[in-house]
Amino acid sequence: MRVPLSWLREYVDLPATETGRDVQAKLISAGLEVETVEQLGAGLSGPLVVGRVLTIEELTEFKKPIRFCTVDVGQANGTGEPQEIICGARNFAEGDKVVVALPGAVLPGDFRIAERKTYGRVSRGMICSGDELGMGDDGSHGIIVLPPEHEVGTDATVLLELFDEVLDIAVTPDRGYCLSMRGVARETATAYGLPLRDPALLDVPAPNSYGYPVQITDPIGCDRFTARTVVGLAPEARSPIWLQRRLQKAGMRPISLAVDVTNYVMLELGQPLHAYDRTRLDGPIGVRRAEAGEKITTLDGTVRVLDAADLVITDNRGPIGIAGVMGGANTEIADPVLDPETGVVTGTSEVVVEAAHFDPISIARTARRHKLASEASKRFERGVDPQAAAAAAQRTVDLLVLLAGGTAEAGVTEVVAPSAPRTIVIPADHPDKVAGVAYGRETVVRRLQEVGCDVYGQDELIVTVPSWRPDLNEPNDLAEEVIRLEGYENLPSTLPKPPAGRGLTERQRVHRRVGRALAGAGYVEALNYPFIGEQALDNLGLDADDARRRLVKLVNPLSDEEPALRTTLLPGLLGALRRNDSRGGHDLALFETGLVFLAGERPGVAVRLGVDRRPTDEEIAEVNAALPAQPRHAAVVLAGAREQAGWWGKGRPSDWADAIEAARTVAREAGAELIVRQGQYGPWHPGRCAELLVVVDGEERTAGHAGELHPRVVKAFGLPARTSAMELDLDLVEAASEGPLKAPRISSFPVATQDVALVVADGVPAAEVEAALREGAGELLESIRLFDVYTGDQLGEGTKSLAYALKFRAPDRTLTVDEATAARDAAVALATDRTGAFLRGA
């Protein structure tokens, strides 16, 4: 909402010294978002005067039409002689009054006016258009032609109100009443503690039976409809300059007098209006729901197919307007037309003014359904004062009579659905409890009365909400009004005092350690939105019955393409990798830790809890039971070089082994032992996928997978070749840990190393062999490492050799050769028994 300060002063007697910046600060303190204060006329200086065109000479020897004009500017040029000016505009004639910038004037953009020779003549000034003066387009697409009553030589900066300040307010959805000068003026008056001259306080005649007939068949969609008629309008009447300028400053373009008046009253009172040419109406005006498939041509010239839920304005022919959104072309105000032979101007001379109140939800849905946002729909869907309809219609009638010489007919139509005022019961100390500040009953009552409420009672207040505040529905809304008017900046800043000894939980410490460890391993954290769509799951190649396809759908998603909560971290990370690769970053290692949302077989329905008390443990448990499982996962993606080449040697590309090592890094930080086995799970390559397991309560459970992505997945996401990834259930890994990490005890005794090479069948996983060796070696085994895998003709078909380095150490003595050898032999024996392994070369 653009609010000219000069217009605002009509309703509030602001101190003369108050600037737009001062008013901005006051309104921001009261809770309004005043984004900018625009200085109109900045950089503009005179002389800028009214002139009358005396003669026009057409210069035809140039490629484009040029006119050499003489203009009477009175004594403004110091001589009284006509001013000679070159002009290319065509929308004025001899005798017209125009705006002239004389030599020495400076127009916006530091455009300086001086005498100069052009097109073979000397031009001593410029005839100005609205754009050149910073006024915006007035619809003429040419220079400004003023009404004939303005005197030659008059200062045009004052006449056109070129100097002003305009506050640009971002009105939030709950403050629809501030989409009007009336609403902003009320907030300004309250902020300054000054009285308000309410423009809606008008003498309105009572409704009678001989107004224009109106029939409402949907009183829920339209609970109030006022119709007034004005006849005898002069079709040639133009909007006065002051009216046009106020519309332009507020961001609207002047069109015609009747339309300008309805727009002006809408900006003034917040009530959208519509003017119909009465001669083009056929029978009574009706309000009903549309019939599916009905069509209407709206004022923008578009033919629209209506939905059965659309609320429409009708006459005997059918729809003539989409209620609260846009009128129809078949009843619009006709443009004035001059008959060149008779000199008579014809056009609309009889107008029916509509001021109605429509259901906000219905208007919002219709505007979105037809992708047709308008100034009217923007106000209706945020809430319009239903009590202002009659005053807005009266204000429109008064202006049409004043500016177009019309006559208001005595008939007044007002159809109103009965409704009771809204009341809210609130304890007098409720705002005190919400804010933590002792305001007291008197302050609470005063502030509520300032926003228009009627307040009764002592310890318990009965508050009647004003009609222009549909956002006030419960005690907390009223508490917010008191707090904002008393000043958010006056609320004390009180930090919570946690009991001693309560810091981060062990779960929080694990998550932080995991992030630091992955960052230390060269991964960069990428935070992604937790939303996903079916297309991403299709790109991952997930089976139709995969649990990750059971999505938790959002009622109001940010994007129709991602309407659900994620069940895996990989799509977000792969999207980040693709973007960075496309921008030249080809060596990438990204990680993310975050929640995923796993829907159960049956979606839960949570109860809505009140805010007047603490929920019971049973209620909290019921809410938690309805929520989807939300485990925290950790995931990495890699592409390009893992180790860069340089003078130190050759580099190395990232591969599946790096993804597995990232999983081991995560498990180490969580204090868990990770079991790695060959697996097959989308979206990984079947032959290059590792299943990651942990032992929880003596049972092996799958915690995640790592490896190289399937080529089809790489192609679907547009990723670099051989991209690898890992995803791990961090909560499950943490559950497998033995508690907080303990620092290792470093033995002062030497280590004894024994190497063994075992031959096993190709199908035997190395993890099973390693587990058998670890168990068989006993307590003396300090570490085991697989350092070589060999296949070849020397071993025979269907076998492989696995070479392990076993390190033995005792905490209290130096091991003998016999002890180390005995431990190694025991390990080999158990591996032979379990996996069929035998020593290579034996």
Side-chain angles (χ1 to χ4, degrees):
M1 176 70 186
R2 289 172 56 85
V3 178
L5 187 59
S6 60
W7 194 356
L8 185 63
R9 289 182 183 274
E10 282 198 5
Y11 313 118
V12 184
D13 288 328
L14 295 172
T17 56
E18 287 294 284
T19 66
R21 297 289 183 189
D22 299 329
V23 177
Q24 177 188 31
K26 284 283 189 179
L27 293 180
I28 289 176
S29 178
L32 291 184
E33 296 182 27
V34 185
E35 295 186 329
T36 60
V37 178
E38 182 180 349
Q39 304 290 331
L40 298 186
L44 174 67
S45 62
L48 194 70
V49 299
V50 175
R52 183 169 64 89
V53 180
L54 300 176
T55 63
I56 298 176
E57 179 185 352
E58 301 288 348
L59 305 181
T60 58
E61 63 268 28
F62 302 101
K63 291 184 179 179
K64 63 178 182 179
I66 296 296
R67 311 170 101 185
F68 180 67
C69 310
T70 59
V71 184
D72 179 12
V73 294
Q75 297 298 319
N77 58 4
T79 64
E81 297 294 325
Q83 202 78 5
E84 297 176 338
I85 300 175
I86 292 289
C87 183
R90 315 292 297 176
N91 66 315
F92 65 98
E94 293 179 356
D96 283 344
K97 298 287 182 68
V98 294
V99 178
V100 179
L102 297 174
V106 181
L107 302 187
D110 197 28
F111 184 62
R112 299 179 180 275
I113 305 301
E115 291 188 6
R116 62 190 182 98
K117 187 173 183 180
T118 180
Y119 297 103
R121 307 292 178 95
V122 176
S123 181
R124 296 179 172 85
M126 185 172 80
I127 302 176
C128 301
S129 68
D131 284 333
E132 290 163 341
L133 298 179
M135 297 168 53
D137 181 27
D138 60 358
S140 65
H141 304 290
I143 61 98
I144 301 169
V145 178
L146 300 171
E149 63 268 18
H150 298 292
E151 294 185 8
V152 169
T154 301
D155 186 350
T157 61
V158 177
L159 175 66
L160 299 177
E161 301 177 17
L162 296 179
F163 297 105
D164 203 349
E165 294 179 278
V166 178
L167 285 70
D168 194 350
I169 303 176
V171 179
T172 53
D174 60 329
R175 296 287 185 86
Y177 66 97
C178 285
L179 287 171
S180 67
M181 294 300 303
R182 181 194 185 201
V184 176
R186 179 176 286 107
E187 292 294 323
T188 306
T190 302
Y192 278 91
L194 297 172
L196 168 70
R197 287 189 290 274
D198 190 345
L201 295 180
L202 300 174
D203 291 330
V204 179
N208 50 53
S209 60
Y210 43 90
Y212 198 91
V214 174
Q215 300 171 352
I216 298 177
T217 58
D218 190 338
I220 295 177
C222 177
D223 58 7
R224 184 179 295 265
F225 196 107
T226 299
R228 300 288 300 277
T229 305
V230 182
V231 298
L233 300 176
E236 71 277 8
R238 296 174 53 189
S239 300
I241 291 176
W242 65 266
L243 178 57
Q244 294 187 43
R245 289 297 294 134
R246 286 191 172 179
L247 291 176
Q248 288 175 326
K249 292 176 185 179
M252 302 187 76
R253 182 172 64 85
I255 298 174
S256 64
L257 177 60
V259 176
D260 292 349
V261 167
T262 57
N263 286 337
Y264 177 84
V265 176
M266 178 184 69
L267 292 173
E268 184 178 51
L269 301 182
Q271 169 68 53
L273 301 111
H274 191 71
Y276 301 94
D277 187 330
R278 188 167 75 164
T279 63
R280 304 177 74 177
L281 288 172
D282 182 6
I285 293 176
V287 183
R288 61 169 172 82
R289 297 290 172 176
E291 297 176 5
E294 275 190 302
K295 295 182 179 181
I296 182 175
T297 302
T298 48
L299 288 173
D300 58 0
T302 302
V303 177
R304 303 183 185 276
V305 180
L306 298 173
D307 186 90
D310 293 334
L311 196 66
V312 293
I313 311 297
T314 65
D315 63 7
N316 290 337
R317 296 166 296 179
I320 58 173
I322 303 177
V325 180
M326 185 173 286
N330 56 349
T331 58
E332 70 174 320
I333 303 299
D335 294 330
V337 178
L338 174 65
D339 188 328
E341 295 183 358
T342 64
V344 176
V345 178
T346 58
T348 298
S349 60
E350 300 180 5
V351 167
V352 176
V353 176
E354 164 207 309
H357 184 262
F358 302 110
D359 175 56
I361 296 176
S362 176
I363 300 306
R365 288 175 175 170
T366 295
R368 284 158 178 75
R369 187 180 298 116
H370 294 283
K371 295 181 174 59
L372 187 60
S374 64
E375 291 291 332
S377 68
K378 183 168 66 175
R379 286 165 172 79
F380 277 123
E381 65 188 45
R382 286 166 173 78
V384 168
D385 181 6
Q387 302 293 336
Q394 181 63 45
R395 177 70 164 143
T396 304
V397 169
D398 292 343
L399 288 173
L400 289 174
V401 170
L402 175 67
L403 302 177
T407 301
E409 289 193 345
V412 177
T413 302
E414 190 165 0
V415 182
V416 181
S419 62
R422 289 177 296 120
T423 60
I424 302 172
V425 178
I426 174 176
D429 62 349
H430 184 67
D432 301 11
K433 294 179 179 178
V434 173
V437 176
Y439 292 124
R441 178 187 176 281
E442 291 184 2
T443 299
V444 171
V445 171
R446 174 172 56 85
R447 288 304 191 184
L448 291 178
Q449 288 175 339
E450 286 176 348
V451 299
C453 297
D454 292 330
V455 186
Y456 303 94
Q458 292 299 319
D459 294 338
E460 190 172 73
L461 304 179
I462 301 174
V463 182
T464 302
V465 177
S467 58
W468 58 83
R469 292 300 302 272
D471 59 305
L472 302 182
N473 297 300
E474 55 179 291
N476 284 330
D477 296 332
L478 300 179
E480 181 184 1
E481 292 300 297
V482 175
I483 295 168
R484 76 175 179 87
L485 293 178
E486 283 295 304
Y488 291 121
E489 68 277 8
N490 296 323
L491 294 178
S493 298
T494 306
L495 295 176
K497 297 179 180 179
R502 291 191 181 181
L504 296 176
T505 65
E506 182 59 27
R507 183 171 185 261
Q508 291 169 329
R509 291 192 183 98
V510 169
H511 295 161
R512 292 195 178 188
R513 287 202 305 269
V514 167
R516 293 192 185 103
L518 290 174
Y523 291 86
V524 177
E525 187 171 17
L527 300 177
N528 299 290
Y529 288 116
F531 308 121
I532 199 172
E534 292 284 353
Q535 183 60 49
L537 302 179
D538 293 339
N539 291 343
L540 290 176
L542 303 187
D543 294 335
D545 59 348
D546 195 300
R548 288 169 292 179
R549 283 192 177 274
R550 288 202 299 268
L551 300 175
V552 178
K553 299 292 182 66
L554 299 174
V555 175
N556 188 21
L558 294 179
S559 169
D560 293 337
E561 295 179 358
E562 295 179 327
L565 294 172
R566 66 189 177 190
T567 55
T568 168
L569 301 181
L570 290 182
L573 278 176
L574 295 176
L577 187 142
R578 180 186 65 247
R579 286 192 300 273
N580 284 274
D581 179 72
S582 67
R583 295 168 185 171
H586 303 303
D587 302 325
L588 298 164
L590 308 177
F591 84 93
E592 181 178 10
T593 60
L595 299 180
V596 298
F597 306 85
L598 307 177
E601 295 291 342
R602 294 183 178 179
V605 179
V607 297
R608 183 170 183 177
L609 303 179
V611 296
D612 56 335
R613 60 176 175 81
R614 182 190 182 279
T616 64
D617 293 341
E618 291 76 13
E619 289 174 332
I620 295 175
E622 187 177 354
V623 171
N624 289 335
L627 297 176
Q630 301 175 49
R632 184 176 294 272
H633 281 201
V636 304
V637 293
L638 306 98
R642 185 65 177 141
E643 296 177 4
Q644 297 290 338
W647 57 265
W648 52 85
K650 295 182 179 179
R652 180 179 67 82
S654 61
D655 58 17
W656 57 268
D658 294 301
I660 296 174
E661 182 57 31
R664 287 197 171 101
T665 299
V666 171
R668 280 195 297 269
E669 293 300 326
E673 186 73 26
L674 199 64
I675 302 171
V676 180
R677 291 181 182 156
Q678 184 175 359
Q680 185 170 338
Y681 193 64
W684 284 274
H685 193 296
R688 296 168 187 165
C689 173
E691 183 181 11
L692 310 174
L693 303 100
V694 291
V695 177
V696 180
D697 297 331
E699 179 185 356
E700 288 186 358
R701 296 179 60 182
T702 300
H705 294 81
E708 183 180 314
L709 294 178
H710 197 287
R712 285 198 297 267
V713 175
V714 170
K715 182 179 180 180
F717 278 98
L719 305 172
R722 311 300 291 268
T723 296
S724 300
M726 178 278 293
E727 185 166 12
L728 204 58
D729 186 334
L730 199 51
D731 289 345
L732 187 58
V733 172
E734 185 183 356
S737 72
E738 298 178 356
L741 289 176
K742 297 179 181 179
R745 183 176 180 275
I746 306 300
S747 175
S748 59
F749 296 96
V751 66
T753 301
Q754 296 275 354
D755 293 344
V756 295
L758 300 177
V759 179
V760 296
D762 275 342
V764 177
E768 289 187 14
V769 178
E770 182 179 323
L773 289 173
R774 188 183 298 277
E775 183 179 345
E779 295 181 353
L780 294 178
L781 181 66
E782 182 178 84
S783 68
I784 181 172
R785 178 174 62 89
L786 175 65
F787 66 85
D788 183 54
V789 178
Y790 174 74
T791 58
D793 296 338
Q794 297 179 4
L795 299 178
E797 187 176 353
T799 61
K800 62 183 176 183
S801 171
L802 305 176
Y804 294 89
L806 287 71
K807 291 185 178 182
F808 300 96
R809 187 169 1 216
D812 56 351
R813 68 188 187 281
T814 299
L815 292 177
T816 64
V817 174
D818 291 339
E819 288 177 310
T821 302
R824 182 203 64 184
D825 292 343
V828 172
L830 187 58
T832 300
D833 183 56
R834 288 188 177 177
T835 66
F838 59 88
L839 286 171
R840 183 177 174 185

